[in-house]
Amino acid sequence: MFRISLSLLFSFLVYLLFDGRSKTDEVTPPQEVFSKADSLPNAAKWPAELSITHFVGADITPSPACLAVAPTGEVFVGVDMIGSLGKKPGKGSIVKLVDSNNDGKMDKHTTFARVDNPRGIIARGDQVFVLHTTFSAETGIASGMDLVVFEDKNGDGLADGPSKPLIQNISSPKFLQSRGTDHSTNGIRMGIDGWIYIAVGDFGFHDAVDRSGKKLTQLGGGIVRVRPDGTEMEVYTHGMRNIYDVAIDPYMNIFTRGNTNDGGGWNIRFTHQIQSGEYGYPVLFKHFTDEIIPALVDLGGGSGAGALFIDEPTWPAKYNQVPLMADWGRSQLYIHRVKPDGPSYTQQEEEFIKLAQITDVDIDASGRMYLSAWDGAGYSGSPSKGFVVRAVPQNWKYQPFADLNKASVKQLANILKSGSSVARLAAQQELLTRPAKQASEAAWKVAADKSQSLPVRIAGMYTYTQAAGAGSVANLVKLTEEPAMREYALRALSDRKAIAANVPVEPFMNALNDASPRVRSAAIIGLGRLDRKEAVQALLSTPVPASFVAPALGAEGPHATPNSAIILPHLAVKALVNLNAVDEAVQAIGTKNSTLALWALRYMHDPKAVNGLLKAYDTAKEAELKKQIITTLARLYKQEAPYDGSWWWSTRPDTHGPYYKAIEWESSPAIKNLLVKEVKAASDKQFFKDLNSRMRLDIPELGTEEPVVAAKEEVTVDLEKIKNKKGQVGESSIEDVMLAMDKLQGDPALGKKLFTTQGCVACHSIAKGETMKGPFMGQIGSIMNREQIAESILKPNASISQGFASVMITAKGNKSYMGFVTEESADRLVLRDITGQVYRIKVADIVKREEMETSMMPSGLANSLSYEEFASLITFLSQQKK
């Protein structure tokens, strides 16, 4: 298999970089898939209702990792030539692009600011928020990640000076130093509630600090949010793997698409992110799925990147009011058509725009959408790869969006009524710079106007709450009396903990009995945030569905199957834990609320909880209740070690659970004493043996059926020991192979031998004097570096440079051809196939022309090699520079 693979691979490599390129900049697809997209530095496939324009190329925006568009259309692109695995600073910037005549092409640009590893951008008025890696000026080594804000008061396209930090240390420096930013903190987006939402990768962070001095630590991925002034930082959700961005709809529903499949079964998952929710990666989402909010779907392998919820009236209804999710690994922008399901959704994925290693997407208030493409820039970035395209509907007419800093309060209030979510947010943010009394009065009129759409009223409500502060409570309570606005008003009332003391609890308590599960969801979350003990008994009475069942020992539970029935009790448990309702939960054991109480007690590592459970066990009469209590105690026997940023669970973590780095605590001896005592007297010893295995208690007296494996910490790979192990490439994640290749040079003589023995010479020549059987390999090293060659072998689909994929031609006479377009004119097309055979085809004879979706070379074809062999092969090829 590998013999075939390399010949297929390098056929692609040479043609993708040597063959002639068309520099056509603007296209109009006459059919659903534009027939000549394979020869353009552009999108490869898109709906017929859209028009795609090549906006800017790698000469201005190489290695674009992220982008943001100002409401008025200026595009800010995060150039990142460090990439995900590079470690040397000084290669990043924020580039501002302007299309002054709206022809779909950039005509002015400035380097707005210099930053390394930009991972998220928000453009708001004269401010540009950026999330990026920081490096020590003295050592040049990564020191963390910061969320910062730049200002451009004079509008010259250049930041006025150094950035101002909003959050510092929001990614663990140890792994930025050892691996790069591949699992770090990523995209940022502002919601209509005025918060900046931050997608945190599974590196997590330790002692991130905001401008108020508040510190926060998070083990693993999720969403963190912060106010635009850098205060009130808090965790929004937890238990994600490596999300890259968030999509936020006008109702403040948030959606994510998880990033990167490393082959261990934890694939791309599309999720609805519900505040306070636990999504379980990596220790709960397989074997403790009763404890998590499941994803809406498991999509298999891929690499989720930028995200956007589009809500723009200039776009066709078919492609509007949907979350858009970029997938870098699949080179595809997807639509996820979400359908309400209780307090959450179900979804249906749909291909939308195909773009070479797409990284991000954003849109302006005029309806111009921009998409950035990595385009084979590699794991460490490239100065010659990457581009940005513009997408607009066919027959779309440009209508400029005014600079709002000159608008009156009345004009801003009118724009707040726009059908464009971008325009509403821009008007809101500008209103908040005006006198608070004027802004709040204008915004309240919009919020209270029942003739307006819900998105408009919600925008008015959140503008009002931000302008009026604690003074907004009375009017928000009034909005809770309206069924249409109740859910959103409850969320707004509990949104800011700084004013929680002024918020009455009655609207939330009443809403617990509302007919709408979405209203009940908002009420439960709100009660947990308001810190009101009087809500505990009502929360404990939340029904638990029959689907609350733990998977069988060793079985993988339904972690990506929508389960709307589990969401309300899940949120109630989170609220009870936040309220520290230990006593009330203990008292509920054995009552009708026992199931939820015991569920909540699993997370209460408090001696009072353990003592209460021990007493309840002594007095319990029913055998089933006693099992539930003892299971809860076993869950409490260990706890997660405090996270100090010194370790990470790697790309292939131990997913057994329920803890990753488990330690005993002060009540562990009391729990152990009970368990050991009960197993001795039990007739059903298998129950205790299973409990020992499932919970990883490591108590020999309970009996074991499998060895207890300690959680693996991130360690330095000993390449000397493993580099010659056959199959090492296939057993490792791609990132780990790439890191190893950076350390191993290999033996080019061995590489040459592999090139011959694997049959590559059957299709490829090395010396110019040899017969040209197929693509010439004698200059591959002058075109691609070792990393690019390695990536092309490991990820053939990702490394097909846009515009040079294989093409399938169906011609008259029922003839078919597949290969690479080497020449093209108005009447003739020249195609070379994988064997080197040349075909000259008349354009008039072409019946159908289709760009292939994937490389002809399947992935995994280097899996049987050792690190040393793989390093030798790519070193040999990289030396071919004749």
Side-chain angles (χ1 to χ4, degrees):
M1 190 66 153
F2 189 64
R3 179 180 297 122
I4 298 172
S5 76
L6 289 179
S7 61
L8 291 173
L9 161 71
F10 292 116
S11 297
F12 273 94
L13 294 185
V14 172
Y15 276 104
L16 91 125
L17 288 157
F18 271 122
D19 290 357
R21 308 186 180 203
S22 167
K23 293 297 182 182
T24 304
D25 283 319
E26 190 162 4
V27 297
T28 304
Q31 53 191 7
E32 184 163 354
V33 180
F34 183 54
S35 63
K36 296 185 179 181
D38 60 276
S39 60
L40 294 171
N42 209 328
K45 185 183 290 187
W46 62 89
E49 295 94 331
L50 304 185
S51 174
I52 305 290
T53 303
H54 180 70
F55 186 68
V56 69
D59 54 332
I60 305 299
T61 58
S63 306
C66 56
L67 62 76
V69 187
T72 46
E74 296 81 6
V75 183
F76 293 84
V77 177
V79 170
D80 180 18
M81 288 186 289
I82 298 178
S84 61
L85 295 180
K87 301 179 183 67
K88 295 181 179 180
K91 298 180 180 180
S93 62
I94 305 298
V95 179
K96 181 180 180 180
L97 311 173
V98 178
D99 176 9
S100 56
N101 60 0
N102 193 48
D103 63 351
K105 306 170 189 175
M106 182 279 301
D107 47 45
K108 291 191 293 187
H109 73 277
T110 55
T111 300
F112 180 80
R114 296 283 183 185
V115 295
D116 286 308
N117 277 139
R119 278 295 185 265
I121 310 173
I122 297 171
R124 184 190 77 163
D126 56 16
Q127 293 183 314
V128 177
F129 298 86
V130 180
L131 178 70
H132 70 96
T133 305
T134 59
F135 287 80
S136 166
E138 291 76 23
T139 65
I141 297 174
S143 56
M145 294 190 81
D146 289 355
L147 175 64
V148 304
V149 61
F150 292 95
E151 291 186 338
D152 180 13
K153 295 289 188 183
N154 59 9
D156 63 355
L158 304 174
D160 294 340
S163 63
K164 298 176 182 177
L166 301 180
I167 299 178
Q168 294 173 285
N169 308 321
I170 198 165
S171 190
S172 297
K174 178 175 180 179
F175 307 105
L176 295 171
Q177 294 164 9
S178 62
R179 291 189 62 91
T181 65
D182 64 336
H183 287 245
S184 66
T185 304
N186 297 294
I188 56 176
R189 191 167 289 279
M190 182 178 286
I192 197 64
D193 58 358
W195 291 88
I196 294 175
Y197 289 81
I198 307 167
V200 179
D202 63 341
F203 279 168
F205 55 86
H206 173 65
D207 274 354
V209 59
D210 72 5
R211 291 312 87 202
S212 69
K214 179 180 180 180
K215 290 186 176 182
L216 196 64
T217 290
Q218 178 167 295
L219 172 60
I223 297 175
V224 169
R225 65 178 189 170
V226 70
R227 301 306 299 179
D229 64 357
T231 62
E232 302 181 47
M233 172 179 61
E234 63 180 31
V235 173
Y236 189 78
T237 59
H238 180 259
M240 302 307 299
R241 182 173 186 271
N242 197 27
I243 55 175
Y244 197 92
D245 203 359
V246 296
I248 309 175
D249 78 4
Y251 309 95
M252 286 309 306
N253 294 299
I254 300 178
F255 303 95
T256 64
R257 185 182 176 100
N259 184 12
T260 310
N261 165 43
D262 285 320
W266 42 93
N267 297 337
I268 291 294
R269 293 178 291 159
F270 176 74
T271 54
H272 173 211
Q273 297 282 303
I274 303 175
Q275 189 172 15
S276 77
E278 170 60 52
Y279 292 81
Y281 184 87
V283 294
L284 299 178
F285 88 110
K286 282 192 174 182
H287 305 301
F288 294 82
T289 47
D290 53 324
E291 300 187 22
I292 69 169
I293 296 179
L296 300 186
V297 66
D298 185 317
L299 297 162
S303 299
L308 169 72
F309 191 96
I310 180 172
D311 183 28
E312 300 301 317
T314 56
W315 276 67
K318 184 178 179 181
Y319 307 115
N320 197 27
Q321 297 176 335
V322 289
L324 305 178
M325 297 281 160
D327 195 297
W328 181 91
R330 298 183 182 183
S331 294
Q332 184 74 52
L333 181 66
Y334 289 95
I335 288 172
H336 286 270
R337 298 200 181 276
V338 292
K339 181 180 179 181
D341 177 28
S344 186
Y345 296 89
T346 57
Q347 69 81 50
Q348 186 63 48
E349 182 191 62
E350 178 182 309
E351 292 184 354
F352 184 36
I353 298 173
K354 191 167 184 64
L355 199 67
Q357 292 184 320
I358 180 172
T359 55
D360 210 353
V361 55
D362 205 5
I363 195 167
D364 71 9
S366 298
R368 294 174 290 187
M369 181 185 291
Y370 295 88
L371 304 91
S372 54
W374 194 248
D375 193 28
Y379 282 93
S380 297
S382 168
S384 60
K385 293 287 187 178
F387 59 86
V388 176
V389 300
R390 188 194 76 170
V392 294
Q394 293 280 15
N395 303 317
W396 169 87
K397 301 297 182 183
Y398 172 62
Q399 293 184 352
F401 185 70
D403 186 349
L404 298 185
N405 63 6
K406 297 179 182 179
S408 67
V409 169
K410 182 178 180 181
Q411 289 171 326
L412 291 171
N414 284 332
I415 297 172
L416 199 58
K417 300 174 185 177
S418 170
S420 161
S421 63
V422 174
R424 292 194 298 268
L425 181 60
Q428 176 195 80
Q429 294 299 302
E430 182 61 34
L431 261 176
L432 294 174
T433 68
R434 307 304 173 85
K437 187 174 186 300
Q438 295 178 32
S440 60
E441 288 177 353
W444 174 247
K445 288 180 181 178
V446 176
D449 187 350
K450 296 181 181 180
S451 68
Q452 298 295 331
S453 67
L454 270 178
V456 166
R457 296 188 69 190
I458 291 166
M461 177 191 69
Y462 276 118
T463 308
Y464 170 66
T465 61
Q466 293 175 73
S472 66
V473 171
N475 277 333
L476 289 177
V477 170
K478 290 180 182 178
L479 286 182
T480 66
E481 297 169 4
E482 286 188 48
M485 288 293 291
R486 185 170 296 138
E487 171 193 346
Y488 316 108
L490 289 170
R491 290 186 66 170
L493 275 168
S494 59
D495 195 45
R496 307 285 292 275
K497 289 188 175 181
I499 65 170
N502 301 315
V503 177
V505 75
E506 288 78 16
F508 295 87
M509 299 294 285
N510 294 336
L512 290 176
N513 298 312
D514 196 273
S516 165
R518 292 186 61 90
V519 170
R520 297 200 299 275
S521 173
I524 291 169
I525 295 168
L527 287 169
R529 291 180 59 79
L530 293 178
D531 198 24
R532 303 295 175 80
K533 280 283 193 175
E534 57 264 44
V536 168
Q537 293 303 327
L539 291 170
L540 279 167
S541 66
T542 306
V544 178
S547 59
F548 179 65
V549 178
L553 179 64
E556 184 172 320
H559 57 81
T561 302
N563 183 7
S564 61
I566 205 66
I567 292 174
L568 296 185
H570 178 99
L571 298 175
V573 165
K574 292 298 178 183
L576 289 166
V577 173
N578 190 59
L579 293 169
N580 194 32
V582 175
D583 294 334
E584 295 86 348
V586 167
Q587 291 166 9
I589 297 172
T591 72
K592 63 179 181 178
N593 299 329
S594 184
T595 301
L596 192 81
L598 288 169
W599 182 0
L601 283 164
R602 297 181 190 186
Y603 317 112
M604 297 180 181
H605 285 85
D606 185 318
K608 287 197 304 179
V610 172
N611 292 336
L613 285 162
L614 292 172
K615 290 178 181 177
Y617 184 80
D618 287 339
T619 59
K621 304 298 183 186
E622 298 177 6
E624 183 58 31
L625 177 59
K626 292 180 81 71
K627 275 190 172 183
Q628 292 171 0
I629 295 172
I630 212 161
T631 299
T632 305
L633 282 164
R635 183 73 162 80
L636 289 169
Y637 177 65
K638 292 184 179 180
Q639 65 179 6
E640 196 71 69
Y643 186 55
D644 61 3
S646 66
W647 55 275
W648 170 56
W649 38 55
S650 82
T651 58
R652 295 194 174 203
D654 178 351
T655 56
H656 185 288
Y659 306 107
Y660 188 76
K661 191 167 185 160
I663 59 172
E664 296 179 12
W665 61 292
E666 63 178 288
S667 291
S668 296
I671 298 172
K672 181 177 180 179
N673 288 340
L674 175 70
L675 294 175
V676 172
K677 173 187 172 185
E678 291 302 304
V679 72
K680 290 178 180 178
S683 57
D684 182 10
K685 296 192 183 320
Q686 187 64 43
F687 168 75
F688 289 90
K689 185 181 291 186
D690 290 349
L691 202 61
N692 198 24
S693 177
R694 175 176 167 78
M695 301 292 184
R696 288 194 166 177
L697 304 178
D698 195 20
I699 301 175
E701 293 90 337
L702 302 186
T704 58
E705 291 182 341
E706 60 182 15
V708 177
V709 181
K712 297 179 181 178
E713 297 184 31
E714 184 76 1
V715 296
T716 301
V717 175
D718 188 343
L719 290 175
E720 290 302 315
K721 288 185 178 180
I722 68 170
K723 68 181 182 180
N724 291 311
K725 178 184 176 183
K726 285 286 186 179
Q728 186 64 31
V729 171
E731 294 176 4
S732 305
S733 72
I734 290 175
E735 295 96 335
D736 289 335
V737 176
M738 299 297 287
L739 288 168
M741 293 306 101
D742 191 46
K743 298 176 182 178
L744 289 174
Q745 283 303 305
D747 178 3
L750 174 60
K752 182 177 182 179
K753 183 179 179 181
L754 284 167
F755 188 78
T756 300
T757 59
Q758 296 296 335
C760 305
V761 293
C763 294
H764 303 284
S765 301
I766 292 294
K768 289 186 177 180
E770 296 175 354
T771 302
M772 289 296 290
K773 297 165 289 187
F776 180 59
M777 299 303 298
Q779 291 177 315
I780 189 68
S782 63
I783 302 165
M784 305 178 77
N785 60 32
R786 292 181 79 254
E787 183 182 77
Q788 291 167 331
I789 293 171
E791 182 192 7
S792 298
I793 297 172
L794 295 170
K795 297 187 73 172
N797 293 331
S799 60
I800 300 174
S801 183
Q802 189 60 29
F804 303 95
S806 58
V807 177
M808 174 68 77
I809 300 290
T810 303
K812 292 178 180 178
N814 199 29
K815 297 179 180 179
S816 296
Y817 309 89
M818 185 169 69
F820 310 94
V821 177
T822 59
E823 294 179 35
E824 186 172 6
S825 65
D827 57 0
R828 189 184 71 166
L829 180 147
V830 180
L831 191 94
R832 187 187 295 263
D833 71 11
I834 195 68
T835 68
Q837 180 70 41
V838 176
Y839 301 94
R840 291 172 174 84
I841 307 166
K842 292 181 180 180
V843 170
D845 289 342
I846 296 175
V847 176
K848 184 179 180 181
R849 172 175 170 172
E850 181 181 8
E851 180 177 327
M852 303 302 290
E853 292 288 284
T854 60
S855 167
M856 288 188 292
M857 185 190 79
S859 59
L861 295 171
N863 286 357
S864 65
L865 297 183
S866 70
Y867 276 2
E868 183 70 19
E869 287 174 327
F870 191 52
S872 298
L873 178 62
I874 63 174
T875 295
F876 167 70
L877 291 168
S878 70
Q879 291 178 354
Q880 307 310 304
K881 300 180 179 180
K882 300 169 185 172

